[in-house]
Structure formats: structure tokens, C-alpha cells
Amino acid sequence: MDKQCEYICRSILGFDWQPKISPEAQAVLDGCATCLERMYILGACHSIDKIGLEESDYTDLVLESSTVVVGDQTYNGIWVVEPWSGWFLPDSVEPLVKGPEALLFVPRYKSPEQDITHAMALFYGEDKKNPRWSLRHIVDIDGREVDGDTRAKEILRDNGLPYKVERFYEEIDGPKIWFQRIILTDIMANNKESIEKNVNGVL
């Protein structure tokens, strides 16, 4: 871990934590537009790692780098190897939805529809060795200093997009806890799919 990431983890987020980060993954973190984006990625990885440590068959979290192509855009992202053990919520005895075998955080994700760059996109893969990536979440982050008028305009913009943007606010969904909302979204999507399958099976 380089000095900047170590400072973010220890001094800003208060983590006594040093994940294994490959040089390629470090380059992706260095390419984030803001310190806040790095904080959110590292906070999510810490959450996955902390929960995983409670699992008896868990191995240490490793951050690698992988590439995904969307349209004519090629992105390098932070590849979290075997993040599935992090798909627990606080006080849950078992995961309420199956986590992916691979997870890719792609910072600075460009909208395919408008001239917009989102804070990051999350891609899931079902093969830990050679994942085929599938886009699952598009994320934007508002820092504490963003004023109300700007936020209102961005929410209005989000509502006009043909895809869903998950917006996180630093003072509410901070770097340490935001990833729990991602897991909740996965749980709700899984429950909706299960209900639809059951209804279609009856009809």
C-alpha cells in the first residue's frame, strides 16, 4: 500500500488495515478523480475484508486489476478476488444473497447515453480466475461540501437517464458503511426475481 492509501485508511477512515494491493491495482486507485472516490473504494474493500475474517474458510483479501470493455470504452478497475464472504449484513447469521466470485470497481465510468462521468461502476463476475464481467451498479458520490441546489440538479439529471444511478451522500452513506446499501440492493433485487419466478410458475 502506498503512502497516500495508508494515510486514507489510518488517518481519515481510522482503519488499522493494510490490504494486499498489486501495482496495477494501485495505479487504478491513483487514477481516481478525488480522494473521496478512493475512500469509498477502500471503505468497501475494508467492509468485505472485515466481514470475511469472521468466516472460517476465508482467505486474505487481495486487490488486483482487471479490464472490462463497454461499447468502445476500455476500463481498468480494482478486482477484488473472492469477495463473496462480504455479503453479510450486521448481525446476520448467514448471507441473504449469494455474493459474486469476483468484483470490479471501475472509477470514472462514462455514461453511454450522455456526456457524464459517474464516480464508479461495479461489475460482478462468476469466475474467480477468469471472470466475465457484468455491470451491476452505477454509483455517484456527493461530498459534504456539495450544496443543495447542485444535488437537486444532479438528482433531476439522474431521473432522466435510462439506467439507474445509485447516489451516496458522504454525511449519510459514508465510506465505511455505503457498501451495506449495495448488499441491500442485491438482496431486494434477488427477492424480486424470486417472487417473479414463483408468480410465473403459478400462472
Side-chain angles (χ1 to χ4, degrees):
M1 183 187 293
D2 75 350
K3 294 295 184 183
Q4 187 178 47
C5 286
E6 184 177 357
Y7 175 80
I8 289 172
C9 287
R10 290 182 179 274
S11 300
I12 300 179
L13 298 176
F15 297 152
D16 182 14
W17 176 70
Q18 287 192 326
K20 298 175 182 177
I21 305 177
S22 73
E24 295 78 13
Q26 185 63 60
V28 175
L29 284 171
D30 292 342
C32 289
T34 66
C35 178
L36 189 62
E37 290 173 9
R38 293 188 195 94
M39 288 165 58
Y40 269 73
I41 292 174
L42 290 169
C45 293
H46 176 266
S47 178
I48 292 167
D49 199 25
K50 180 181 177 183
I51 294 170
L53 287 172
E54 300 172 2
E55 300 299 299
S56 59
D57 57 352
Y58 175 76
T59 57
D60 290 338
L61 186 76
V62 178
L63 305 185
E64 301 284 358
S65 178
S66 183
T67 300
V68 63
V69 178
V70 181
D72 59 354
Q73 294 284 337
T74 300
Y75 298 97
N76 293 321
I78 300 292
W79 174 10
V80 183
V81 180
E82 294 192 273
W84 51 265
S85 60
W87 258 248
F88 286 76
L89 292 174
D91 302 322
S92 63
V93 177
E94 59 184 29
L96 300 177
V97 65
K98 182 178 180 286
E101 291 292 322
L103 170 62
L104 191 70
F105 292 97
V106 172
R108 311 303 295 158
Y109 180 74
K110 296 182 182 300
S111 168
E113 304 291 338
Q114 295 187 19
D115 186 19
I116 299 169
T117 300
H118 299 288
M120 73 179 85
L122 276 60
F123 292 79
Y124 291 3
E126 294 308 322
D127 184 342
K128 65 183 179 182
K129 293 184 179 179
N130 187 26
R132 187 168 55 184
W133 298 113
S134 174
L135 178 62
R136 295 296 295 269
H137 301 276
I138 296 176
V139 170
D140 268 323
I141 304 164
D142 284 354
R144 296 178 189 275
E145 73 281 359
V146 177
D147 62 51
D149 288 342
T150 300
R151 287 185 173 182
K153 290 177 182 177
E154 290 181 342
I155 291 171
L156 185 62
R157 181 201 70 189
D158 293 349
N159 291 337
L161 293 171
Y163 54 84
K164 181 181 179 182
V165 177
E166 295 170 67
R167 186 166 292 277
F168 295 85
Y169 303 100
E170 184 182 5
E171 67 273 21
I172 301 173
D173 310 295
K176 295 183 181 181
I177 62 172
W178 77 278
F179 200 71
Q180 292 177 15
R181 223 178 85 189
I182 292 292
I183 296 172
L184 278 170
T185 302
D186 288 352
I187 291 169
M188 289 187 289
N190 182 70
N191 288 344
K192 182 181 178 182
E193 289 175 6
S194 298
I195 291 169
E196 288 175 350
K197 285 180 182 178
N198 290 334
V199 170
N200 290 334
V202 171
L203 295 178

